[in-house]
Amino acid sequence: HSLEHMSDPAATVALATRLLKPGGLLTIAVPNFDSTQRRWFGRHWFAMSVPVHRQHLSRRPLERLLTPHYDVLRFSTMALEQGTFIFAHSVVNALTDSHEPNPLYERLSLRQPGSAGMLSLVLQGVALLAALPVGFVESLVSGWLDRGTVLTLVAQKRRES
């Protein structure tokens, strides 16, 4: 997961194209902006992560970016562990009305001490744990329907590129 962090994904793909030999494989994995979770949670979607994620990508724009030099071999939105994790934290974001990483995530990742009190953190933890099984089922069904939270494309550089 790095393309969503780039200010110019086209330039990043162009660089990869110059470096990759004909017939070589390029794998891209990004949060799927067309996912069911993004539609459900909106600004509370944990993978939105503005300004850390500078781009929000979906299948068609990615394929357009690759079409001049690549053949897409594989497409998937099935990522159970990431989808479940993102779902659970999106629930906590929605409950805390946060569009940034929620206080529980910040505390657990040791990024910053956070301003939430202990009771608030415990309640967020309970909500997170309760959301995990639902998130797993949602990730399974959405992935199966090509609406999962993480979009992965594997493309092969054309020999004539």
Side-chain angles (χ1 to χ4, degrees):
H1 286 275
S2 58
L3 197 60
E4 69 271 20
H5 298 272
M6 304 297 163
S7 59
D8 188 352
T12 303
V13 170
L15 176 61
T17 302
R18 284 196 301 276
L19 297 173
L20 194 60
K21 293 180 182 178
L25 298 177
L26 176 67
T27 301
I28 297 174
V30 295
N32 182 14
F33 197 71
D34 281 342
S35 71
T36 302
Q37 285 187 29
R38 202 274 308 162
R39 292 169 193 256
W40 284 355
F41 290 108
R43 71 182 189 92
H44 299 296
W45 185 45
F46 187 76
M48 192 72 77
S49 295
V50 176
V52 175
H53 290 171
R54 301 173 81 176
Q55 305 293 324
H56 296 99
L57 303 162
S58 56
R59 182 178 182 170
R60 286 200 175 102
L62 267 179
E63 286 179 334
R64 278 194 298 270
L65 200 60
L66 298 173
T67 297
H69 303 286
Y70 294 89
D71 294 310
V72 176
L73 304 178
R74 183 173 169 268
F75 161 82
S76 175
T77 65
M78 184 69 73
L80 295 178
E81 56 289 315
Q82 289 177 328
T84 302
F85 175 88
I86 292 169
F87 181 93
H89 278 286
S90 297
V91 167
V92 175
N93 280 358
L95 291 173
T96 59
D97 195 29
S98 175
H99 61 278
E100 297 177 8
N102 57 67
L104 178 65
Y105 179 80
E106 292 295 332
R107 181 68 62 95
L108 292 175
S109 66
L110 304 176
R111 291 184 181 188
Q112 53 182 290
S115 59
M118 186 55 70
L119 179 60
S120 176
L121 290 173
V122 169
L123 292 174
Q124 289 174 41
V126 169
L128 182 90
L129 292 174
L132 288 173
V134 178
F136 179 81
V137 172
E138 185 282 329
S139 295
L140 185 64
V141 172
S142 291
W144 183 69
L145 295 172
D146 287 337
R147 292 283 183 204
T149 300
V150 177
L151 169 62
T152 303
L153 287 173
V154 177
Q156 185 172 37
K157 185 176 177 186
R158 293 192 185 116
R159 303 243 179 235
E160 68 272 6
S161 288

